[in-house]
Amino acid sequence: MIEVANVSKCFADLEALKEVTLSVKKGSIYGLVGANGAGKTTLLKLLAGIYREDSGSITIGSSPVFENPEVKAKMLFIPDHLYFFTNYTIQDMADYYRRIYPTWNQERFLNLQEVFNMEINRRIKTLSKGMRRQVAFWLGFAMMPEVMILDEPLDGLDPVMRQRVKNRIVQDVAERDMTVIISSHNLYELEDLCDYIGILHEGRMLIERELDDLKADVHKVQVAFSGEVPSGFYTDINPLYQEKRGSVHILILRGNHQEIMGRLQQYGPAILDILPLTLEEIFIHEMGDSGYELQNIIY
């Protein structure tokens, strides 16, 4: 559906993106993670056709994006910094969207008023930051896009509205095969949404993997012994990370779940449990040997 191949982009002497390649399948949700200045917003603006790549290629449905009205008519881009016409009401913006987007669904727009619970004749400039973001989603969902590109999309939303928006995104992906790319610093925000995750750092793609594959390869275990730790235990297990909390040892291990449990059980532990492992922990320990300060990348 979306293909980015060896894309680079420079601004004067700043190389914002360096031969970035990624692929997003139709009907999937792709999470893009990176520190400030990593190139996330630049990449999203290239995908939205706002910038033109200096080299490489970007296609959506096999068609180039830049200066392609047919592709852009089926795409929604909600940037980090929102813009609405001065003095426009929500209704005015809806009328504008209806004129320029052939997929606009007026019935859906009216139905969504119950979700966002705002008076459609309110001037958008009088709304709070979070309410303006709600308006952006309200208009976006009503235009029925095939591709949704979101830059820090849930910033400023209260917890209830945050969950409503996430549920609507997932529903549109399931029902209409919509494709979504979400950029965020917050991995917790992406963990229950995304099928795929990519990390950008200093303009380069560090890692791009299916989320289920990441979770299948790395495990968090707590283990305790009735006496001393058996000789050679840590050498044999070779954990990515280890710490001791009283008599309990917390380990991060890479490998097959059954093989890991089998190896640990050979040492006759008194306690052996698998603990929930967050996406944030996976990336810290998966990439910890790469020489990058992952804490700064994903916090």
Side-chain angles (χ1 to χ4, degrees):
M1 175 63 175
I2 300 175
E3 297 291 340
V4 177
N6 300 314
V7 166
S8 296
K9 180 65 180 178
C10 295
F11 299 96
D13 58 348
L14 172 65
E15 192 174 10
L17 294 176
K18 307 167 187 177
E19 297 185 347
V20 170
T21 295
L22 64 88
S23 178
V24 183
K25 295 181 180 179
K26 183 176 178 60
S28 66
I29 303 178
Y30 187 106
L32 188 64
V33 182
N36 292 329
K40 302 189 306 298
T41 296
T42 298
L43 178 56
L44 295 185
K45 288 184 175 181
L46 286 165
L47 289 166
I50 298 171
Y51 295 154
R52 171 184 279 172
E53 60 272 22
D54 294 333
S55 61
S57 65
I58 298 176
T59 58
I60 296 181
S62 301
S63 299
V65 180
F66 189 75
E67 294 187 346
N68 190 335
E70 291 183 5
V71 172
K72 292 184 179 183
K74 303 174 184 178
M75 174 197 302
L76 169 70
F77 175 47
I78 298 182
D80 186 18
H81 299 288
L82 300 173
Y83 173 81
F84 298 101
F85 294 126
T86 304
N87 293 324
Y88 264 39
T89 65
I90 298 173
Q91 183 64 67
D92 292 335
M93 285 302 305
D95 292 339
Y96 175 75
Y97 271 51
R98 185 171 57 201
R99 289 193 298 270
I100 65 173
Y101 290 111
T103 56
W104 177 265
N105 188 319
Q106 181 65 16
E107 181 180 0
R108 194 179 204 212
F109 171 72
L110 296 175
N111 290 338
L112 284 169
Q113 186 173 8
E114 296 181 6
V115 175
F116 294 101
N117 194 27
M118 281 186 279
E119 169 56 49
I120 61 176
N121 290 318
R122 290 219 28 202
R123 294 191 185 278
I124 298 174
K125 71 177 183 180
T126 68
L127 301 176
S128 68
K129 175 183 177 181
M131 294 177 73
R132 289 197 298 270
R133 192 158 295 278
Q134 290 181 48
V135 171
F137 275 110
W138 184 359
L139 296 168
F141 289 134
M143 67 164 279
M144 307 282 284
E146 292 185 8
V147 176
M148 183 177 280
I149 300 171
L150 308 172
D151 192 359
E152 300 292 344
L154 306 180
D155 185 31
L157 298 182
D158 64 66
V160 173
M161 186 53 64
R162 184 181 295 249
Q163 192 58 49
R164 287 182 183 177
V165 168
K166 289 164 70 174
N167 289 344
R168 181 63 59 173
I169 291 172
V170 171
Q171 182 177 330
D172 275 10
V173 170
E175 294 179 355
R176 302 195 296 103
D177 228 15
M178 183 174 71
T179 305
V180 182
I181 298 182
I182 301 178
S183 169
S184 178
H185 294 97
N186 188 345
L187 283 178
Y188 292 110
E189 187 172 271
L190 302 180
E191 189 162 5
D192 60 347
L193 271 178
C194 297
D195 306 302
Y196 299 86
I197 294 288
I199 290 185
L200 269 178
H201 182 56
E202 296 182 350
R204 297 187 185 277
M205 186 66 74
L206 293 187
I207 186 170
E208 182 188 23
R209 293 186 64 184
E210 191 169 348
L211 185 53
D212 288 344
D213 288 345
L214 284 172
K215 291 188 173 182
D217 288 346
V218 184
H219 309 277
K220 186 176 184 179
V221 177
Q222 67 174 2
V223 59
F225 300 93
S226 56
E228 295 294 324
V229 177
S231 176
F233 174 74
Y234 279 112
T235 302
D236 179 33
I237 298 303
N238 190 26
L240 298 173
Y241 171 81
Q242 64 188 62
E243 67 174 277
K244 188 177 180 181
R245 300 174 184 173
S247 61
V248 177
H249 302 263
I250 306 298
L251 311 174
I252 305 292
L253 303 169
R254 183 189 290 117
N256 178 272
H257 173 269
Q258 291 184 342
E259 292 179 0
I260 288 173
M261 295 300 286
R263 287 167 59 196
L264 291 171
Q265 286 169 348
Q266 291 177 1
Y267 289 91
I271 297 174
L272 177 57
D273 292 313
I274 293 288
L275 302 177
L277 187 63
T278 67
L279 184 58
E280 183 172 270
E281 289 175 312
I282 290 173
F283 277 113
I284 288 174
H285 301 298
E286 182 80 8
M287 301 298 294
D289 295 333
S290 300
Y292 297 103
E293 296 183 9
L294 263 287
Q295 292 87 343
N296 295 332
I297 294 174
I298 65 179
Y299 281 104

